[in-house]
């Protein structure tokens, strides 16, 4: 009976991707085996140009290797616009082989910008002044049966593509947001089924988007350019082998239509009376459309889409439609979400629907939009009056839970409205659950914070006039993000933009893509995203290529810091955001009390340490040595500057103590004192935190790493201000920007900086997964090749469980405790091993499914530790039961 199987074949993290321009794509697979302790001893890979593998171009033969993720294609150079099929076979350590896997494929895109023969086109000048979205079209004839057809397309601004009256694909906000002047993505669509033999038409609608719409809070627009444009190349292959290429050129015509305004922040104005029925079909009469012009714009910046696309991911039904005390009609979707409202309406031609979007109600229960600042978030739809009309906007998205119906023909009914949730279509990879419903709600809010702020770039917030790729926020949240969803393609793309926008000096802009200007760069803990983010992706996905790709950028950032000020081992110059929004901030300040040079030097040390590790992973021995020494020197200088000889920190804040512990910046002999001082500060604050963006992600980690797990749980479980659960109790459905976004009395913290969907404090999610449930990867064998399972039960919970779909397959870790009876269940995927710590266990008391631990199949090693039992196990699922022993046991 065949038991060993290969499944889930992926190319560059994707299932059968089209339009990949990676020259040496990496292939990954998972192994299925009912046998415990399964490892891959060898693999064989076939790559062919046909699905029956008659034309194999790369046959690895049987390769003795455990590698099953990111195996680099090393066959002959890939051709553009070509589909490559691949399959895999593996052998386990006993020599059993699997069958060939099912066939998977990837298809190359244009591969290099020289293959663009199309020209950029712009709509007629007449349309460039107006706010209305231009439309472009062209009819064409295909004189044969169509075997296959692909479109390669990009735009300045956003585009929606149509062929023969049908919208092409389901990707939204294309071509996505990148550092447009340096990198502009194009998308590839399989349009075979859209075309017919005979007459056809193709069309596109353009929107301002991030390219030329309003962006940032300073009334700026046209940040990348002032014209929307399109470039498109369609390759049609006939059954008889002929090829036809349709491109953007002067054969296209332009007009405008019903979209009178569509802006990321402000919403859309759509006049359905101006619809041009059939405008993207071949028999449409376009005699009054105007010519287009060719546009001189570079093509060598065009790169294939790397991230997963933004899509409509789910639909939400509103929970109520009510009238506020101020007499306004408001819909409550029950969830702070990002996307838009789809509605159906019927009424007289010219009558209007006006919808406004908000995140919260004020303390009187009224619709509240002040925290959106300049963002209008308003949809205006003018009816054509033709019966039932259904509408969804095009080049905008809103962050909202409540929708005010400002105008509507007739009496609106709740089921005329549906919330459409959009975000980058990342695979959901993690779950966390425990016996406390409020903590589960917190996890729910973290996930929703991630959904709403992972719309092609990692944003601070999705509602007010920012929605920017703030580097600090991304850095703070990335580890949590990696658990919840597969964010590797998402961050690979964004980090390329970081690299592209990085200054020559190595400085890193505050936001990526940088729209704040060349002087807005290099705050400590923000710029460090350049190092922390690639390192985290490497840790969580075993992705060395991201380290290779980003290495120079990582190094440039550290070198930038080294050059600041007159002591190369301290960073005490320049502007820094500091411990943003910490509660020890002075009145009217956003910045917490922790000294900025302290934070800056601490992060300098941290990033340098990670750079050293990166150099080691990449076998850059000289750099590893150099940055190892630099790291030491920074710590020495840090200690001279900020630590007294007796181990007292010069900066008496929670965050300062958290950072030195987390980044290992103090001598061992002082550790205990620093930990005690932190505990003391927390006590003085009635066991509540005061930390901001910089300290919060590490707070619980340093407590649980230093013997204060119970106190970390206490912080997590606090329900009054300030705490994670305070906002949950206040009805939050996403993570707030402020600990007191809404105060006890229902009033707001402020109107300027008060987002209710800011993921930074959601970084506690990482602690829930890695410490509460105890699911982690070793750093040495990154990407969960070696798994660390170390649950930390606490009396405040009866159980906790977490699961994570790693590159190798599903890992899970759960514990439950009842009257001192502990049960720990883990599952470990094939081709990995795990170190499992059973807390409060004694070797003699542990049973796995009734079998004493010494005899359990799959357990290779056990050891009694002071506080539990350490095991080494192979793949498989295990349930360990034992009686909890509080007594310390020596090894
Ligand atoms: C953003 C933050 C960001 C900060 C810089 C704010 O306006 O919303 O999340 O990191 O500016 O401190």
């Amino acid at each position: 009976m065949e038991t060993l199987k290969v499944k889930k074949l992926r190319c560059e993290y994707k299932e059968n991707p089209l339009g990949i321009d990676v020259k040496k794509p990496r292939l990954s697979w998972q192994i299925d085996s009912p046998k415990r302790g399964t490892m891959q001893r060898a693999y064989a890979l076939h790559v062919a140009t046909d699905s029956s593998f008659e034309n194999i171009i790369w046959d690895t033969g049987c390769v003795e290797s455990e590698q099953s993720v990111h195996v680099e294609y090393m066959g002959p150079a890939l051709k553009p616009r070509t589909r490559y099929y691949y399959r895999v076979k593996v052998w386990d350590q006993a020599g059993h082989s699997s069958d060939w896997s099912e066939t998977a494929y990837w298809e190359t895109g244009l591969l290099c910008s020289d293959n663009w023969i199309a020209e950029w086109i712009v709509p007629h000048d007449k349309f460039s002044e107006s706010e209305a979205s231009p439309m472009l079209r062209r009819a064409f004839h295909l004189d044969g049966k169509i075997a296959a057809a692909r479109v390669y397309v990009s735009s300045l601004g956003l585009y929606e593509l149509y062929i023969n009256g049908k919208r092409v694909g389901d990707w939204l906000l294309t071509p996505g947001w990148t550092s447009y002047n340096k990198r502009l993505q194009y998308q590839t669509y399989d349009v075979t089924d859209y075309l017919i033999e005979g007459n056809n038409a193709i069309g596109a609608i353009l929107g301002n988007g991030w390219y030329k719409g309003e962006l940032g809070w300073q009334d700026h627009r046209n940040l990348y350019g002032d014209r929307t444009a399109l470039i498109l190349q369609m390759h049609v292959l006939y059954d008889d082998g002929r090829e036809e290429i349709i491109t953007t050129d002067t054969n296209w015509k332009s007009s405008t239509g019903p979209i009178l305004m569509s802006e990321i922040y402000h919403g859309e104005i759509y006049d359905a009376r101006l619809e041009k029925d059939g405008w993207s079909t071949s028999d449409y009469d376009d005699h009054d459309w105007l010519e287009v012009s060719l546009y001189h714009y570079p093509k060598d910046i065009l790169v294939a889409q790397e991230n997963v696309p933004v899509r409509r991911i789910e639909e939400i039904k509103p929970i109520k439609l009510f009238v506020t005390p101020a007499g306004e009609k408001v819909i409550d979707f029950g969830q702070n979400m990002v996307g838009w409202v789809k509605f159906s309406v019927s009424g007289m031609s010219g009558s209007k629907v006006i919808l406004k979007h908000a995140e919260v109600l004020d303390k009187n229960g009224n619709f509240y939009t002040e925290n959106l600042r300049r963002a209008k978030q308003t949809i205006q739809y003018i009816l054509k009056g033709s019966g039932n009309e259904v509408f969804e906007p095009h080049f905008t998205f809103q962050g909202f839970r409540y929708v005010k119906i400002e105008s509507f023909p007739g009496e609106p009914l709740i089921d005329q409205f549906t919330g459409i949730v959009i975000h980058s279509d990342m695979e959901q990879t993690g779950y966390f659950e425990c016996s406390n419903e409020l903590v589960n709600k917190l996890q729910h809010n973290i996930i929703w914070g991630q959904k709403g702020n992972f719309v092609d770039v990692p944003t601070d917030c999705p509602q007010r006039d920012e929605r920017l790729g703030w580097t600090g926020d991304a850095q703070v949240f990335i580890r949590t993000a990696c658990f919840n969803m597969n964010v590797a393609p998402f961050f690979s793309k964004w980090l390329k933009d970081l690299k592209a926008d990085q200054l020559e000096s190595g400085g890193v802009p505050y936001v990526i893509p940088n729209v704040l200007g060349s002087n807005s760069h290099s705050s400590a803990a923000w710029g460090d995203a350049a190092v922390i983010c690639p390192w985290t992706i490497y840790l969580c996905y075993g992705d060395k290529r991201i380290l290779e790709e980003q290495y120079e950028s990582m190094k440039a950032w550290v070198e930038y810091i080294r050059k600041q000020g007159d002591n190369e081992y301290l960073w005490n110059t320049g502007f820094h955001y500091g411990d943003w929004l910490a509660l020890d901030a002075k009145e009217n300040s956003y910045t917490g009390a922790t000294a900025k040079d302290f934070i800056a030097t601490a992060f300098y040390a941290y990033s340098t340490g990670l750079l050293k590790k990166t150099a080691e992973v990449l076998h850059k021995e000289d750099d590893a040595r150099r940055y190892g020494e630099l790291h030491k020197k920074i710590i020495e200088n840090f200690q001279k500057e900020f630590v007294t000889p007796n181990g007292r920190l010069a900066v008496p804040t929670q965050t300062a103590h958290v950072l030195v512990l987390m980044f290992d910046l103090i001598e061992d002999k002082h550790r205990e004192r620093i930990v005690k001082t932190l505990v003391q500060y927390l006590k003085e604050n009635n066991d509540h935190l005061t930390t901001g963006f910089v300290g919060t992600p590490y707070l619980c980690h340093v407590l649980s790493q230093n013997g204060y797990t119970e106190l970390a749980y206490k912080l997590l479980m606090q329900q009054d201000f300030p705490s994670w659960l305070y906002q949950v109790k206040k009805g939050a459905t996403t993570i707030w920007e402020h600990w007191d976004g809404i105060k006890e009395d229902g009033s707001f913290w402020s109107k300027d900086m008060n987002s209710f969907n800011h993921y930074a404090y959601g970084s506690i999610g990482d602690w829930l997964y890695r410490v509460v449930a105890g699911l982690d990867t070793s750093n040495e064998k990154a990407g969960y090749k070696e798994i660390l399972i170390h649950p930390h039960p606490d009396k405040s919970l009866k159980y906790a469980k977490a699961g994570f779909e790693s590159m190798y397959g599903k890992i899970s870790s759960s514990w439950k405790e009842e009257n001192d009876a502990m049960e720990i269940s883990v599952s470990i995927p094939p081709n990995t091993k795990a170190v499992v710590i059973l807390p409060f266990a004694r070797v003699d008391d542990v049973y796995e499914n009734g079998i004493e631990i010494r005899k359990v199949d799959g357990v290779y090693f056990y050891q009694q530790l002071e506080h539990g039992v350490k095991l080494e196990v192979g793949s498989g699922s295990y349930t360990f039961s034992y009686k909890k022993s509080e007594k310390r046991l020596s090894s």
Side-chain angles (χ1 to χ4, degrees):
M1 197 183 66
E2 199 51 70
T3 51
L4 192 65
K5 281 202 190 99
V6 182
K7 59 173 186 180
K8 209 172 172 185
L9 271 62
R10 292 289 181 269
C11 171
E12 290 296 320
Y13 295 101
K14 292 176 182 153
E15 186 176 2
N16 299 336
L18 288 192
I20 292 268
D21 276 359
V22 180
K23 306 271 182 321
K24 291 183 176 172
R26 294 161 302 165
L27 309 173
S28 305
W29 56 88
Q30 293 181 3
I31 298 168
D32 224 3
S33 162
K35 266 201 5 232
R36 281 190 178 169
T38 299
M39 293 294 286
Q40 173 184 298
R41 200 198 71 204
Y43 69 83
L45 241 172
H46 282 171
V47 176
T49 49
D50 64 315
S51 59
S52 43
F53 290 86
E54 272 158 30
N55 303 307
I56 293 179
I57 57 158
W58 191 48
D59 180 350
T60 62
C62 175
V63 182
E64 296 272 337
S65 164
E66 276 186 17
Q67 194 180 355
S68 58
V69 307
H70 306 307
V71 174
E72 204 169 272
Y73 168 77
M74 299 290 267
L78 299 173
K79 299 201 177 93
R81 301 189 297 101
T82 306
R83 184 170 288 195
Y84 294 93
Y85 298 87
Y86 66 106
R87 62 183 181 187
V88 185
K89 183 181 188 144
V90 301
W91 287 262
D92 67 13
Q93 70 277 38
H96 303 120
S97 73
S98 71
D99 278 340
W100 283 108
S101 66
E102 281 181 18
T103 301
Y105 63 82
W106 79 91
E107 190 177 297
T108 51
L110 292 173
L111 270 189
C112 107
S113 55
D114 292 349
N115 291 326
W116 279 98
I117 52 171
E119 300 288 347
W120 282 103
I121 55 169
V122 287
H124 192 275
D125 279 354
K126 189 178 153 200
F127 306 123
S128 68
E129 292 302 292
S130 114
E131 267 199 287
S133 282
M135 297 159 84
L136 302 162
R137 66 165 258 121
R138 126 157 232 204
F140 56 95
H141 187 82
L142 295 176
D143 66 349
K145 269 207 162 346
I146 297 139
R150 298 285 181 273
V151 163
Y152 307 93
V153 55
S154 185
S155 59
L156 304 181
L158 304 175
Y159 74 84
E160 278 185 2
L161 187 66
Y162 293 81
I163 292 178
N164 294 333
K166 255 179 43 197
R167 170 89 189 266
V168 175
D170 57 359
W171 298 13
L172 304 170
L173 303 171
T174 45
W177 189 12
T178 47
S179 307
Y180 288 133
N181 301 331
K182 298 152 200 154
R183 290 168 20 85
L184 175 57
Q185 296 188 126
Y186 73 89
Q187 284 74 37
T188 302
Y189 301 99
D190 180 348
V191 294
T192 316
D193 295 339
Y194 289 75
L195 298 170
I196 50 166
E197 185 174 353
N199 293 332
N200 293 269
I202 185 163
I205 313 177
L206 301 178
N208 290 345
W210 299 284
Y211 185 86
K212 85 177 273 281
E214 188 174 326
L215 212 51
W217 58 94
Q218 295 150 319
D219 195 14
H220 288 160
R221 49 193 319 117
N222 296 332
L223 280 162
Y224 294 95
D226 58 2
R227 300 212 64 170
T228 49
L230 183 73
I231 190 164
L232 177 148
Q233 192 161 311
M234 176 162 62
H235 292 251
V236 181
L237 184 69
Y238 291 114
D239 267 359
D240 58 16
R242 282 176 302 134
E243 192 192 46
E244 181 122 28
I245 306 176
I246 311 284
T247 65
T248 37
D249 54 22
T250 48
N251 288 315
W252 289 59
K253 293 180 102 180
S254 60
S255 184
T256 53
I259 304 176
L260 300 182
M261 184 283 288
S262 195
E263 284 272 327
I264 302 273
Y265 295 160
H266 300 313
E268 187 160 311
I269 303 176
Y270 187 97
D271 188 341
R273 295 169 304 181
L274 304 177
E275 280 174 358
K276 298 195 153 134
D277 279 348
W279 69 277
S280 66
T281 59
S282 60
D283 37 6
Y284 178 78
D285 177 5
D286 62 9
H287 77 272
D288 58 348
W289 285 44
L290 303 177
E291 66 272 24
V292 301
S293 333
L294 299 183
Y295 191 57
H296 290 290
Y297 199 82
K299 290 190 242 174
D300 60 357
I301 54 168
L302 288 164
V303 293
Q305 160 113 7
E306 178 166 14
N307 190 5
V308 293
V310 176
R311 286 197 172 101
R312 290 174 186 78
I313 307 289
E314 53 195 295
E315 299 197 349
I316 294 196
K317 283 281 163 208
I319 55 174
K320 68 174 175 183
L321 198 169
F322 63 105
V323 177
T324 64
E328 298 175 323
K329 256 182 220 149
V330 170
I331 307 168
D332 179 0
F333 281 87
Q335 172 64 50
N336 196 17
M337 55 165 279
V338 172
W340 51 70
V341 176
K342 171 176 168 183
F343 56 85
S344 64
V345 59
S346 49
M348 304 251 295
S349 173
S351 54
K352 273 187 191 168
V353 176
I354 300 178
L355 302 181
K356 293 213 152 139
H357 301 70
E359 292 187 291
V360 286
L361 302 177
D362 70 12
K363 71 183 204 184
N364 301 318
N366 287 319
F367 192 72
Y368 177 81
T369 54
E370 270 184 307
N371 69 324
L372 304 176
R373 307 194 311 213
R374 298 167 49 85
K376 296 199 184 82
Q377 295 217 119
T378 301
I379 298 293
Q380 212 185 110
Y381 178 82
I382 303 159
L383 280 75
K384 57 188 167 199
S386 62
N388 194 36
E389 302 176 34
V390 178
F391 181 72
E392 289 184 53
H394 301 78
F395 304 114
T396 181
F397 59 87
Q398 285 77 52
F400 65 100
R401 168 175 170 172
Y402 299 97
V403 172
K404 177 168 96 175
I405 308 174
E406 209 161 85
S407 168
F408 202 85
E411 194 52 37
L413 298 172
I414 191 163
D415 48 346
Q416 286 174 281
F417 303 88
T418 307
I420 306 291
V421 178
I422 69 156
H423 56 83
S424 289
D425 194 1
M426 302 160 288
E427 180 188 354
Q428 300 237 3
T429 46
Y431 73 83
F432 173 88
E433 191 198 305
C434 67
S435 56
N436 182 310
E437 271 321 303
L438 295 175
V439 176
N440 292 340
K441 192 77 211 311
L442 171 67
Q443 169 67 7
H444 165 101
N445 295 357
I446 296 170
I447 300 266
W448 276 88
Q450 182 162 351
K451 289 179 182 180
N453 285 295
F454 279 55
V455 179
D456 209 43
V457 298
T459 54
D460 55 336
C461 57
Q463 74 299 79
R464 69 176 177 226
D465 53 358
E466 281 199 70
R467 315 184 188 191
L468 303 177
W470 282 97
T471 46
D473 308 45
Q475 170 274 110
V476 160
F477 187 66
I478 187 170
R479 190 74 194 255
T480 302
C482 287
F483 274 111
N484 293 331
M485 301 176 200
N486 185 333
V487 295
F490 182 90
F491 276 104
S492 304
K493 170 221 169 216
W494 184 73
L495 284 166
K496 290 208 175 94
D497 292 307
L498 185 148
K499 182 162 75 171
D501 276 347
Q502 195 166 4
L503 284 85
E504 221 155 277
S505 60
V508 174
Y510 301 146
V511 299
I512 300 293
N514 183 17
V515 289
L516 299 181
S518 56
N519 289 329
S520 303
H521 68 94
S522 304
S523 160
W526 270 249
D528 293 282
V531 175
I532 296 168
C533 294
W535 178 256
T536 306
I537 297 295
Y538 163 70
L539 270 190
C540 299
Y541 303 97
D543 188 333
K544 281 191 194 162
R545 189 176 284 173
I546 201 164
L547 297 182
E548 284 160 14
E549 295 263 356
Q550 298 300 127
Y551 187 71
E552 289 307 318
S553 154
M554 297 164 86
K555 192 166 154 177
W557 169 244
V558 168
E559 288 298 330
Y560 169 85
I561 305 174
R562 199 169 63 81
K563 290 193 196 90
Q564 304 308 304
D566 45 20
N567 178 342
E568 65 176 311
Y569 307 118
L570 290 177
W571 192 8
N572 49 21
T573 55
F575 169 82
H576 302 284
Y577 287 109
D579 193 15
W580 189 246
L581 306 184
L583 294 168
D584 50 14
K586 286 205 188 93
E587 197 65 20
N588 295 324
S589 166
Y590 295 131
T591 300
T594 310
K596 289 182 177 175
D597 57 342
F598 183 101
I599 293 175
T601 307
F603 270 86
Y604 177 25
Y606 183 49
S607 279
T608 305
L610 293 183
L611 180 61
K612 175 202 171 230
K613 288 188 195 167
T614 304
E616 283 168 356
V617 172
L618 300 179
H619 305 296
K620 295 176 188 288
E621 271 79 27
D622 285 351
D623 274 6
R625 205 171 316 113
R626 176 139 43 100
Y627 291 109
E629 269 155 32
L630 179 60
H631 184 236
K632 253 198 239 135
K633 287 260 172 53
I634 299 167
I635 293 180
E636 272 166 32
N637 278 264
F638 177 90
Q639 291 176 349
K640 261 194 232 153
E641 188 76 11
F642 300 111
V643 191
T644 68
N646 287 341
R648 178 192 180 109
L649 288 194
V651 178
T653 64
Q654 292 182 12
T655 288
H657 288 69
V658 166
L659 292 185
V660 294
L661 291 167
M662 194 68 193
F663 297 165
D664 241 332
L665 303 178
I666 27 121
E667 290 175 78
D668 276 348
K669 61 179 188 207
H670 297 322
R671 180 166 277 268
E672 200 180 324
R673 176 172 181 178
I674 307 266
V675 174
K676 286 206 164 122
T677 310
L678 172 62
V679 171
Q680 184 59 30
Y681 289 159
L682 287 162
K683 280 232 146 48
E684 284 164 12
N685 206 30
N686 205 10
D687 289 335
H688 285 75
L689 50 76
T690 55
T691 49
F693 277 31
V694 166
T696 303
Y698 308 127
L699 175 59
C700 286
H701 277 298
V702 302
L703 291 172
S704 54
Q705 282 166 9
N706 290 285
Y708 286 87
T709 306
E710 219 178 305
L711 180 55
Y713 266 100
K714 195 162 186 189
L715 295 182
L716 172 71
M717 297 296 174
Q718 297 292 17
Q719 296 185 13
D720 55 343
F721 169 77
S723 65
W724 287 277
L725 299 186
Y726 167 74
Q727 47 182 276
V728 172
K729 293 273 281 187
K730 280 279 181 193
T733 59
T734 37
I735 301 290
W736 296 353
E737 181 174 22
H738 276 268
W739 292 117
D740 55 349
I742 299 176
K743 297 187 177 194
E744 287 288 6
D745 66 0
S747 64
F748 294 119
W749 180 85
S750 119
K751 63 182 190 328
D752 299 334
M753 204 60 94
N754 205 12
S755 149
F756 293 94
N757 196 355
H758 236 74
Y759 51 53
Y761 294 148
S763 54
I764 185 69
D766 167 42
W767 189 78
L768 299 177
Y769 280 104
R770 284 207 281 157
V771 181
V772 174
L775 195 166
D776 203 351
T777 176
S778 85
N779 284 13
E780 291 67 37
K781 293 196 170 175
Y784 299 88
K785 178 73 174 134
E786 182 181 71
I787 296 159
L788 304 178
I789 302 279
H790 185 181
H792 286 71
D794 180 78
K795 60 180 182 321
S796 57
L797 293 178
K798 290 197 181 71
Y799 75 87
K801 48 180 162 186
F804 173 66
E805 175 72 19
S806 72
M807 294 296 286
Y808 296 92
K810 174 88 178 275
I811 306 169
S812 64
S813 169
S814 66
W815 59 264
K816 66 176 185 216
E817 184 180 349
E818 216 183 313
N819 303 328
D820 285 349
M822 289 289 300
E823 193 178 288
I824 299 212
S825 301
V826 304
S827 36
I828 307 300
N831 207 22
T832 67
K833 287 184 179 150
V835 172
V836 178
I837 307 284
L838 304 175
F840 312 115
R842 290 152 55 117
V843 168
D844 295 340
D845 290 347
V846 181
Y847 291 85
E848 198 279 315
N849 259 324
I851 301 174
E852 57 183 283
I853 203 68
R854 293 178 173 86
K855 299 185 179 153
V856 175
D857 175 33
V859 174
Y860 305 130
F861 171 86
Y862 60 87
Q863 184 189 5
Q864 183 68 59
L865 305 176
E866 215 178 317
H867 284 293
V869 170
K870 176 179 173 180
L871 306 174
E872 277 173 31
V873 307
S875 69
S877 296
Y878 305 80
T879 300
F880 303 103
S881 328
Y882 54 94
K883 195 127 189 84
K884 193 171 148 188
S885 162
E886 294 285 6
K887 264 196 275 153
R888 284 180 172 233
L889 299 147
S890 49
S891 37

